[in-house]
Amino acid sequence: MARGYDVAEVKFRLIKLLRDSKIGISGVEISERLGINRVTMTKYLNIFSAEGVIGEKNIGNVNLWFVYEGIEQFQFPDDYFRVQERYIEYITKCSESSVYNLIRSCLNSDVNVIKLMTEVILTAIPEVQKYFDDGKIGKAEEQLMKTIISKSIQLVNLDIQSPKNEKNVIIIAADSQSVLEAEAASAAYRSNDWNVFFLGDMSSSIDILFDLELTKLLSKIWKSKQGLMIVTVFSQTEEGLKFFSESFYSVKGKNDDNLHLVLSGKIGKKITIKSELQSEKLDDILQWSQTKFENI
């Protein structure tokens, strides 16, 4: 790409330009109005088209570019609260296309993925639960809303680059109620170049054989023990956290200095469950993990 152009700025100006047009604008006119030479502008148009931001249509002998409905440009960090309100609104209306376009717009606006998870997506989960607990929605609607949240997280995952082999994390949900938090954590870890092994809901594996399964898994995905390996467990119950903690420490050897356990869930003051970090805050978990990596 030619020097002197900022991709985010070009995208912002292009979306604004195309949004003001009802029928679309030709590549030649876009180049002239944005002040970017045609060859460079064509490269940008092809990139943004591949990202699903803009599309091309033929009218007669002219090719016109247009912005897809629902795609817009945000200015972060100022717009996090506005995006949060819209996300929750679209989720509770079960408006899938609106949710996905909102997430795409955030990604195209160079959003911080961790903040997108903590300040937007994770805030919708308790809202959905409250709607269900208050009797405003039934089980079917609740499940649909959670599915839409899950799919929106997967959109974020598709936008993330290749990880580093030295930064490894296994993510476990101890119950079905913790899956969305675990999925959000997976996307946040990936945005920081972590190599993520997402196991999903492992409640069916809560038995005496899990430590053997964990040993086999570690021998396969971390057999050279290169870099760092963190096991992060999300649970709505103390029982789930306790089980996976006991399984982890039955597997960890004396020389496994780079193998660590993080627990995320509510633990009573009178309960002691062994781990290296216990936190319900995703920001704290990610920061702690990064610090551990930097200190190996």
Side-chain angles (χ1 to χ4, degrees):
M1 201 64 68
R3 296 180 179 178
Y5 299 113
D6 179 79
V7 176
E9 181 184 354
V10 172
K11 187 184 295 184
F12 180 85
R13 294 172 60 200
L14 176 63
I15 290 175
K16 186 177 185 303
L17 176 65
L18 294 179
R19 192 171 298 285
D20 293 338
S21 172
K22 294 182 179 180
I23 62 172
I25 303 176
S26 69
V28 173
E29 185 178 353
I30 291 172
S31 175
E32 292 175 349
R33 294 179 65 173
L34 295 186
I36 300 174
N37 72 71
R38 295 182 184 179
V39 174
T40 301
M41 194 66 243
T42 297
K43 293 180 180 179
Y44 278 121
L45 291 172
N46 290 332
I47 290 173
F48 300 152
S49 176
E51 292 177 351
V53 179
I54 60 174
E56 187 179 13
K57 59 185 176 182
N58 298 323
I59 297 182
N61 295 324
V62 181
N63 293 331
L64 300 178
W65 293 92
F66 64 95
V67 63
Y68 285 112
E69 183 179 356
I71 298 296
E72 57 185 308
Q73 200 75 0
F74 294 108
Q75 292 287 340
F76 295 111
D78 295 342
D79 284 339
Y80 280 114
F81 183 71
R82 184 158 68 99
V83 171
Q84 179 197 88
E85 286 187 318
R86 288 195 192 180
Y87 185 78
I88 293 175
E89 176 190 351
Y90 296 154
I91 288 291
T92 54
K93 289 182 177 178
C94 297
S95 180
E96 289 195 58
S97 60
S98 297
V99 169
Y100 305 151
N101 282 333
L102 181 65
I103 295 300
R104 291 189 185 98
S105 294
C106 289
L107 296 173
N108 291 326
S109 302
D110 293 328
V111 70
N112 179 294
V113 171
I114 295 174
K115 285 188 173 295
L116 178 62
M117 291 297 145
T118 58
E119 297 188 21
V120 177
I121 292 178
L122 285 176
T123 62
I125 299 173
E127 289 292 329
V128 171
Q129 188 63 50
K130 188 174 186 302
Y131 266 65
F132 178 75
D133 292 341
D134 292 346
K136 295 180 179 179
I137 59 174
K139 194 63 182 178
E141 286 180 279
E142 180 198 22
Q143 186 58 44
L144 176 57
M145 291 178 189
K146 288 182 176 180
T147 299
I148 295 172
I149 293 174
S150 177
K151 287 182 178 179
S152 69
I153 295 173
Q154 298 313 310
L155 284 178
V156 178
N157 280 324
L158 293 173
D159 193 64
I160 295 172
Q161 302 300 316
S162 300
K164 295 180 180 178
N165 292 330
E166 298 82 10
K167 303 170 71 174
N168 303 286
V169 59
I170 295 172
I171 296 183
I172 295 172
D175 46 67
S176 60
Q177 292 79 20
S178 302
V179 171
L180 289 179
E181 286 86 351
E183 288 182 354
S186 296
Y189 267 110
R190 286 192 177 98
S191 72
N192 272 359
D193 302 322
W194 286 80
N195 194 22
V196 177
F197 302 93
F198 177 71
L199 304 189
D201 179 8
M202 294 295 292
S203 58
S204 62
S205 297
I206 296 181
D207 56 48
I208 59 175
L209 298 178
F210 180 75
D211 55 348
L212 298 176
E213 294 180 9
L214 182 58
T215 300
K216 290 181 181 178
L217 178 64
L218 287 169
S219 67
K220 178 175 291 187
I221 64 177
W222 198 49
K223 55 186 175 182
S224 64
K225 297 189 177 181
Q226 179 183 4
L228 188 69
M229 174 62 79
I230 295 176
V231 177
T232 304
V233 180
F234 292 82
S235 179
Q236 296 293 314
T237 66
E238 294 172 349
E239 290 78 7
L241 295 175
K242 183 179 181 181
F243 170 82
F244 285 105
S245 171
E246 292 174 348
S247 296
F248 174 86
Y249 285 105
S250 70
V251 166
K252 181 175 179 177
K254 293 182 179 179
N255 297 321
D256 290 333
D257 295 333
N258 292 328
L259 178 61
H260 307 283
L261 176 66
V262 174
L263 300 179
S264 182
K266 292 183 179 180
I267 300 176
K269 294 181 179 180
K270 296 182 179 180
I271 301 295
T272 300
I273 302 177
K274 187 178 179 181
S275 68
E276 293 181 66
L277 176 69
Q278 296 177 4
S279 177
E280 294 183 80
K281 295 182 178 180
L282 182 55
D283 284 333
D284 292 345
I285 293 173
L286 294 167
Q287 184 176 0
W288 182 89
S289 301
Q290 184 63 29
T291 300
K292 278 292 181 183
F293 170 72
E294 292 171 355
N295 289 333
I296 61 174

